[in-house]
Amino acid sequence: MIRQRLFWKILVAFLFTYFAVSQGIWLLVTLTLDKGEPPAIVLRNDVAPGVVMAARNALHHGGLAEYRALELALPAVTRKHLSLHPAQAAANGQWKRPPVPPQTGVHDAATTAPDGQAYIVRFSFPDARPVRILNLPPVVLLPGIAAGLVFASLLAWYLASPINHLRRGFEQLARGDLSVRLLPRMGSRRDEIADLSRDFDRMARQLEELVEGRDRLLHDVSHELRSPLARIQLALALAERSPQRSGQALERVGHEVARLDALVGELLTLARAENDGSAGDDYFDIAGVTESVVEDVRYEAEPEDITIALTTDLRNDVPLVRGNSELMRRAIENVLRNALRFSPLRGRISVRVAEPERDREVLITIADEGPGIPADKVDAMFQPFVRGSGHTSSFGLGLAIASRAVRLHRGTIAARNRTDGGFCVEMRLPTEPLTT
């Protein structure tokens, strides 16, 4: 379940604002309300009808004396609203009522005292009834509007500020500034916008690495191509100057053309390994592939009297890997040939295929007795054309192809210098049961 942190922040902020507004309105009403005077609506609907009816009955049955007694019995805050007016008959048979002051509401009734005198019993109360928006009094409307403006402003700032950072970051990225990073600008935010900034930084970092890798690859490829082309030009120039040496020059040209062809083939393999989205759906025996590669490389190791020992430690008879067997064969072969290249005369290369008990995976270890490489070069050796010891030799594209092939099979590849001398490369590949 995705944690909607931004949603909860907005919800908590809204509830806090609502609580603050409601308490503020209650405080304002409490402070502005006349504590000795009930509200006009209470006087009009609750107090006036009962008081007028009681005063009318008292006047009708007991006359002015009983009316005055009732009037004195009323609370002072109620008594000041009650009044008695003599009544006169109108032409239409109704009683003439005294005029009502402006912004005053009244509730009255006509009655006759025992002596025959007619009276109007009147209960008056303030009734300004100003024009209100949505029928809300200003004491409620104004704090609500003010709190809404403050809440909306803070929310807009809270959301717009990081969005503006994102917009400027995308603009910088579009202009080619791949070093832009947004997460430091987000401060201590821990919500979806901060996650988006983190994803943006990861994207920018990957783009920067891809562009740098492309530029470095182009530089290294141009350097690798320039050397054989220069030797071809030199061989052709020597053939023109010394026709008797044309056979030797043509042999050199053929050798350099073969090197160029091999380099172009490795570049195509590297490009294919980088661009393919998946290795494939074939199942193959990785132990058998490794054994086949070892047998082929042993022929090349015989002139240098280098021993290649293969050991297997398998819990299953056939550890199957899902992917492309030819691509993995090329990866293992490249690592093994690199070990052969740096092994000393009459050295030993150990190749081990094992299945660790903790996971469904196969571990291929290739260890040599060579000089190893500087510690600062270990992490970069799987990049194209990284220089080895003394910067006099390059790993070329072989290890880069091996790294991409292993990653394409959802595996990992790592290298380290051995404590007792030499170098070791480990490839871990997930194994899968055969499905039909």
Side-chain angles (χ1 to χ4, degrees):
M1 181 178 180
I2 300 177
R3 295 178 299 172
Q4 297 180 345
R5 291 163 289 182
L6 189 59
F7 166 78
W8 290 112
K9 286 183 178 181
I10 295 176
L11 178 61
V12 171
F14 174 78
L15 292 178
F16 176 80
T17 303
Y18 176 77
F19 177 79
V21 170
S22 61
Q23 294 302 306
I25 292 176
W26 176 84
L27 181 61
L28 288 175
V29 170
T30 303
L31 294 177
T32 57
L33 182 65
D34 187 356
K35 296 180 174 57
E37 179 77 11
I41 188 173
V42 175
L43 294 174
R44 180 178 65 246
N45 297 335
D46 300 329
V47 179
V51 172
V52 168
M53 181 178 292
R56 177 187 176 186
N57 292 335
L59 183 63
H60 180 71
H61 295 289
L64 288 175
E66 189 170 340
Y67 171 82
R68 298 302 178 189
L70 173 66
E71 189 178 30
L72 292 174
L74 292 174
V77 69
T78 306
R79 186 189 314 139
K80 67 180 183 179
H81 297 281
L82 184 64
S83 60
L84 184 65
H85 306 274
Q88 298 178 359
N92 57 1
Q94 300 293 329
W95 298 102
K96 289 184 179 180
R97 300 179 183 274
V100 179
Q103 296 186 349
T104 301
V106 297
H107 185 90
D108 53 15
T111 187
T112 303
D115 59 0
Q117 177 64 40
Y119 294 94
I120 300 294
V121 179
R122 171 170 290 181
F123 190 95
S124 61
F125 47 84
D127 193 20
R129 295 178 181 262
V131 178
R132 297 169 178 171
I133 301 176
L134 300 178
N135 201 29
L136 293 175
V139 71
V140 176
L141 184 63
L142 296 180
I145 293 177
L149 289 175
V150 173
F151 177 77
S153 300
L154 292 176
L155 181 62
W157 171 82
Y158 186 77
L159 296 179
S161 178
I163 291 176
N164 288 332
H165 286 314
L166 286 170
R167 180 178 56 81
R168 286 191 291 269
F170 278 110
E171 289 177 353
Q172 290 179 259
L173 197 65
R175 291 196 300 265
D177 183 8
L178 302 181
S179 63
V180 58
R181 299 293 183 267
L182 295 181
L183 193 58
R185 306 180 189 178
M186 295 298 161
S188 58
R189 294 183 71 106
R190 296 294 183 270
D191 52 27
E192 287 79 1
I193 297 180
D195 293 342
L196 181 60
S197 301
R198 190 177 295 107
D199 294 338
F200 176 90
D201 290 353
R202 183 166 57 251
M203 176 191 68
R205 190 179 304 110
Q206 291 176 350
L207 287 175
E208 187 176 24
E209 292 175 356
L210 287 174
V211 172
E212 290 179 353
R214 181 203 63 186
D215 295 341
R216 184 172 58 251
L217 179 61
L218 290 175
H219 175 270
D220 294 335
V221 167
S222 63
H223 176 76
E224 294 292 327
L225 292 176
R226 189 179 296 113
S227 297
L229 289 175
R231 288 190 289 267
I232 290 175
Q233 291 176 347
L234 179 60
L236 293 176
L238 290 176
E240 291 178 357
R241 294 180 183 179
S242 303
Q244 65 276 11
R245 302 178 60 182
S246 59
Q248 182 181 358
L250 289 176
E251 183 179 355
R252 168 55 63 178
V253 170
H255 178 70
E256 298 299 336
V257 168
R259 291 187 60 184
L260 287 174
D261 181 69
L263 179 60
V264 171
E266 288 186 339
L267 287 173
L268 291 175
T269 303
L270 178 63
R272 193 179 305 113
E274 288 182 338
N275 294 330
D276 286 345
S278 62
D281 295 326
D282 295 334
Y283 291 87
F284 59 92
D285 176 13
I286 189 64
V289 172
T290 305
E291 182 179 0
S292 175
V293 172
V294 169
E295 291 297 327
D296 292 341
V297 179
R298 276 175 177 164
Y299 287 104
E300 302 177 22
E302 289 180 358
E304 301 293 332
D305 197 16
I306 297 175
T307 303
I308 302 179
L310 173 64
T311 58
T312 58
D313 183 12
L314 303 177
R315 293 182 286 111
N316 299 321
D317 295 335
V318 181
L320 297 179
V321 173
R322 183 180 180 182
N324 188 320
S325 60
E326 289 300 322
L327 191 58
M328 276 308 306
R329 177 185 177 87
R330 184 68 179 272
I332 299 172
E333 184 179 11
N334 288 345
V335 175
L336 188 55
R337 289 183 187 276
N338 185 76
L340 178 64
R341 178 183 175 188
F342 290 97
S343 292
L345 186 65
R346 291 184 295 278
R348 176 184 175 86
I349 299 176
S350 300
V351 181
R352 181 171 178 264
V353 182
E355 282 186 288
E357 295 183 359
R358 60 187 181 191
D359 297 311
R360 294 186 59 87
E361 65 178 13
V362 62
L363 172 64
I364 304 173
T365 305
I366 300 176
D368 60 54
E369 298 177 347
I373 65 172
D376 59 340
K377 294 289 183 180
V378 173
D379 294 335
M381 64 175 294
F382 296 107
Q383 300 296 326
F385 301 111
V386 173
R387 296 289 173 180
S389 302
H391 303 279
T392 58
S393 58
S394 169
F395 294 110
L397 293 172
L399 294 183
I401 294 174
S403 174
R404 277 127 176 104
V406 171
R407 290 206 305 268
L408 203 61
H409 285 78
R410 297 177 291 112
T412 59
I413 185 170
R416 56 181 172 84
N417 287 309
R418 301 172 63 188
T419 56
D420 54 349
F423 198 70
C424 178
V425 177
E426 294 181 346
M427 292 175 282
R428 294 180 180 269
L429 298 170
T431 59
E432 298 185 13
L434 182 62
T435 58
T436 56

